[in-house]
Amino acid sequence: LQEVSEDLRNLTLVLASDGVWDLWEYGPAFDAIVQPEQHNGSLAKVVESRSTKFFRDSLTRGAEIFAETADNMTGIVVYF
């Protein structure tokens, strides 16, 4: 059980529209939003900050890459 527990310590679900996935590979997206193991301060604030930054970065990237033709972007991050 300890091995399974170690594998699941950063269990995170990202639900996002294709507009987000047009901009990110899965690995970098996970790295941008995964719950950090060590943090200073409130875990809730760290989690909110990382997910908010990820989606703000997505909006910026979409505007830079696709300009006026950027696809809609909707998403939610769930930390277990």
Side-chain angles (χ1 to χ4, degrees):
L1 285 173
Q2 185 174 0
E3 288 179 23
V4 172
S5 176
E6 287 295 315
D7 288 342
L8 297 177
R9 72 175 174 264
N10 291 321
L11 189 58
T12 305
L13 174 65
V14 179
L15 299 172
S17 64
D18 66 325
V20 173
W21 297 120
D22 287 344
L23 303 169
W24 296 91
E25 296 288 330
Y26 299 125
F30 181 78
D31 291 342
I33 61 176
V34 69
Q35 180 175 317
E37 290 186 37
Q38 294 183 355
H39 53 85
N40 295 324
S42 166
L43 178 59
K45 287 181 182 180
V46 170
V47 166
E48 180 181 0
S49 174
R50 290 179 71 91
S51 57
T52 299
K53 182 177 182 338
F54 171 75
F55 287 110
R56 284 192 179 147
D57 288 350
S58 295
L59 291 172
T60 300
R61 285 176 116 178
E64 290 172 355
I65 294 170
F66 297 110
E68 295 294 321
T69 62
D71 200 353
N72 66 328
M73 289 183 238
T74 303
I76 186 168
V77 177
V78 181
Y79 295 96
F80 295 96

